[in-house]
Each structure stands twice: as C-alpha cells, then as structure tokens.
Amino acid sequence: MRGHHLFFSRLIKEWKFQYGVIRSIADWTILLYLIIPSFVIFIFIYRSWWVELPGWMEKMPLNIAFFLSYLLCWAGNYRTFVQEADKVFLIKHQKLFLRMKKWGYVYSLIFQGVAVGIVIFILLPYFVEYSAFTATQIIVYFIFFVI
C-alpha cells in the first residue's frame, strides 16, 4: 500500500459522506425551488455589478473588503485524513503515515486556494472597477490569503 492510495481511498470515502449529507439536506424540492433560482438570481446580480457598482459597494473602504475576505477564508483547516486505527497500524509504518499526511496537506492547500479564488471572483468587480487593482495586485491578494 502506498500513501497516495490510502489518501485517495479516504478522500473518496469523505466525498461520498459529504454528498450524502448534502443530498439529505437538499432534496429535489429544495434544489428546484431554492438553490437553482438563487444561483440564477446571483448570476444576474453579479453581471449588474460589472455594469455599474451598487451604491453600498462604492462606499465600502478597501479595509472592509480585506477583512471580509479574511473572515471568509479563516474557516479553512488542514485535513490529514488520520483515523483512530492509524495510531495502532500506521505508527509502525512511518513513511506511509507521513506520505498520507503530505497528500492531505496538499489537498487542503488546493481546497483553500479554490475557496479564496471564489471569494476573489465574487469581489472582483469591486477590485477592478472601484479600487483599480491590477492583475498583479489581485494575484498577490490571492497568494496572501492562500499562504
């Protein structure tokens, strides 16, 4: 057994569990009447932000956008996918244990990067239109919150 095999088997198991949780919460009626209309409305509102910034966004200082991004990205954590039985078995196989934890760290870093990317994408009209951020500044903003 290799570290990445163990990691991916646990990751797939975790995804299946999360899918079951989401499916139990968002059945077809919730999906049809709340989630899909909310997504469509969000698309129209987001497009309107690119055409003309809303009044509340024009008065928002950059510090508030920074603090909002910080709060939204603060909830991230590093998953190592270590289970209870690993204390018995994997402690004897130190290389396998460390490789699995490294894969978990890389996965957590990628997941955090995607979350930060979504936040930046949502705030992009504010950054580009009002604060006049350049592409380099937005990339630095992204790296700052990922690392």
Side-chain angles (χ1 to χ4, degrees):
M1 182 178 289
R2 294 187 168 190
H4 65 278
H5 292 298
L6 184 60
F7 166 74
F8 283 117
S9 67
R10 291 185 181 181
L11 180 64
I12 290 170
K13 187 177 178 182
E14 174 75 17
W15 284 349
K16 286 180 182 178
F17 174 75
Q18 292 298 332
Y19 176 72
V21 169
I22 291 171
R23 195 165 168 216
S24 68
I25 293 171
D27 59 349
W28 73 271
T29 55
I30 299 295
L31 182 71
L32 184 64
Y33 293 117
L34 288 178
I35 296 174
I36 293 175
S38 299
F39 185 70
V40 170
I41 291 170
F42 172 77
I43 290 172
F44 285 116
I45 290 173
Y46 187 74
R47 185 188 168 284
S48 74
W49 288 359
W50 281 101
V51 174
E52 182 180 349
L53 282 177
W56 63 269
M57 197 178 277
E58 290 176 354
K59 297 175 185 175
M60 182 172 71
L62 188 58
N63 295 341
I64 299 294
F66 182 81
F67 187 67
L68 178 67
S69 299
Y70 174 74
L71 286 179
L72 291 174
C73 296
W74 192 44
N77 55 6
Y78 294 107
R79 295 285 317 269
T80 58
F81 293 94
V82 176
Q83 296 176 350
E84 292 288 327
D86 294 340
K87 294 176 184 173
V88 177
F89 177 73
L90 286 181
I91 292 300
K92 296 176 186 173
H93 306 299
Q94 199 71 10
K95 286 184 179 179
L96 179 63
F97 186 67
L98 290 177
R99 286 183 187 142
M100 184 191 64
K101 287 179 74 170
K102 286 178 186 176
W103 277 96
Y105 178 75
V106 169
Y107 169 75
S108 298
L109 194 61
I110 291 170
F111 191 78
Q112 181 73 16
V114 169
V116 170
I118 290 171
V119 170
I120 289 175
F121 179 74
I122 291 172
L123 292 176
L124 202 57
Y126 173 75
F127 291 147
V128 172
E129 298 294 327
Y130 182 71
S131 297
F133 272 30
T134 62
T136 307
Q137 291 172 324
I138 292 172
I139 291 170
V140 168
Y141 191 85
F142 174 78
I143 291 171
F144 179 76
F145 281 111
V146 171
I147 298 175

